[in-house]
Amino acid sequence: MEFLDVVRRRKTTNGPFLPDKVSEEHQRLLMEVAGRAPSQLNSQPWRFVIIDDPSTIDSIATISGDSMTEAMSNGTFFERYKPYFRFSAKEMAERRDGMLFDKLPAALRPFTDQVFTKRGQKLMNAMRVPHKLGEENRKLVAGSPLLIGVMLDRSEYRPGELSSFYSVFSMGAAMENVWLTTVELGMGIQFVSFPMEVPGMWAKIETLLHVPDSLELMAVYRLGYVPAEQRRPAIDWTSHERKLPSQYVFRGTCQTPQTGWDTPASAG
């Protein structure tokens, strides 16, 4: 597969994975490509934990589902991320960023016009929408054959110091290598993020994984194989005019970008 094709087909998998276990060969390959990422002075500050034990995955899934329910119930999720929701294909095409709201879980679609209002929040809570979403989230994580936790060495990751930037930058590069490789392997990947949204929940995962004091757990991802028909097809980019929007072409002065890259809305 051509490299640019892999980059263009990269996506986040929001749906379920196949029940098949991720082969040891592929697990090793994912760790290899992560280790080939650049890092300051070849410090390689990242550490990974591979989780394939079903009981541990179930426990993390419960934490994730409970976190989503709480974040959705108290309104913090919508308040934090409302700048990224788009409510029509037209708005999505104009902005070229964010998430089209009608692609979110079906339980939320009836509340499109009211989701950011107090009345809408009360209505969703009364109809137990946050609980339904939390349960869906729990099932997605629980049905994942593999989780990967990524940690940073605290001797390198020192918030407020330049080494912290280098460490986070390197970790991002390592995970991008992993993410792109999942395309080649017919796999999907998604960030298990909700436990980070609710105070105390992330600490539960750290305890569950026995993260040592010398390391900082930065992120957890769920991975698995996806059915062939659900894999993102190759894109004929020759049919799209490729140009840099003027907002991103800085010629001597800094500007504030107003729109995203000029790519098809479906390429996010």
Side-chain angles (χ1 to χ4, degrees):
M1 188 179 297
E2 295 291 335
F3 175 74
L4 288 179
D5 188 41
V6 170
V7 173
R8 290 162 177 163
R9 293 174 63 189
R10 183 216 62 81
K11 63 180 293 186
T12 296
T13 303
N14 298 311
F17 299 128
L18 294 173
D20 311 57
K21 289 187 175 182
V22 176
S23 70
E24 184 174 333
E25 176 188 0
H26 287 172
Q27 292 182 34
R28 291 182 179 276
L29 181 59
L30 292 174
M31 292 298 95
E32 176 194 341
V33 298
R36 291 183 179 275
S39 59
Q40 175 71 358
L41 301 176
N42 197 31
S43 57
Q44 302 185 42
W46 50 71
R47 301 291 184 273
F48 294 91
V49 54
I50 294 179
I51 308 154
D52 59 4
D53 175 60
S55 63
T56 304
I57 292 176
D58 282 343
S59 295
I60 293 176
T62 298
I63 295 172
S64 182
D66 291 346
S67 299
M68 185 174 193
T69 296
E70 183 170 343
M72 291 288 186
S73 296
N74 61 26
T76 57
F77 174 81
F78 297 111
E79 183 62 28
R80 184 188 302 265
Y81 297 111
K82 63 183 179 182
Y84 305 106
F85 287 121
R86 308 289 172 248
F87 295 96
S88 69
K90 181 177 182 294
E91 183 182 13
M92 192 74 187
E94 291 174 349
R95 293 294 302 267
R96 302 291 183 179
D97 63 4
M99 178 178 288
L100 186 58
F101 201 77
D102 67 358
K103 291 186 180 297
L104 290 182
L108 283 177
R109 294 174 192 168
F111 305 95
T112 298
D113 298 330
Q114 305 178 54
V115 69
F116 297 125
T117 67
K118 291 183 178 180
R119 180 179 180 276
Q121 184 69 59
K122 290 181 179 179
L123 185 58
M124 284 191 293
N125 288 349
M127 298 182 67
R128 296 181 60 80
V129 171
H131 292 80
K132 294 177 182 178
L133 294 174
E135 178 59 16
E136 289 181 8
N137 178 272
R138 186 198 66 77
K139 290 179 179 179
L140 278 179
V141 178
S144 304
L146 189 72
L147 302 182
I148 291 180
V150 55
M151 299 163 286
L152 287 179
D153 187 336
R154 289 184 186 273
S155 66
E156 294 292 332
Y157 176 63
R158 300 189 295 270
E161 298 184 22
L162 189 55
S163 63
S164 179
F165 165 77
Y166 290 142
S167 296
V168 174
F169 183 89
S170 299
M171 182 192 73
M175 284 310 305
E176 180 72 358
N177 282 2
V178 171
W179 211 299
L180 293 176
T181 302
T182 63
V183 179
E184 176 76 15
L185 300 180
M187 297 175 64
I189 183 171
Q190 184 181 34
F191 183 24
V192 181
S193 60
F194 272 96
M196 302 184 79
E197 303 281 351
V198 179
M201 291 297 195
W202 196 245
K204 290 184 179 181
I205 295 181
E206 291 176 320
T207 299
L208 186 66
L209 297 180
H210 304 288
V211 178
D213 293 338
S214 60
L215 299 177
E216 175 85 11
L217 181 64
M218 303 297 291
V220 174
Y221 299 85
R222 67 182 194 96
L223 300 90
Y225 299 109
V226 293
E229 64 272 14
Q230 293 182 18
R231 299 171 191 172
R232 175 165 286 184
I235 302 172
D236 180 12
W237 288 91
T238 61
S239 64
H240 298 284
E241 181 183 359
R242 307 299 297 156
K243 62 180 180 179
L244 293 178
S246 59
Q247 293 88 341
Y248 281 90
V249 181
F250 302 149
R251 304 189 188 282
T253 60
C254 184
Q255 306 174 42
T256 301
Q258 299 298 317
T259 63
W261 290 102
D262 184 20
T263 59
S266 62

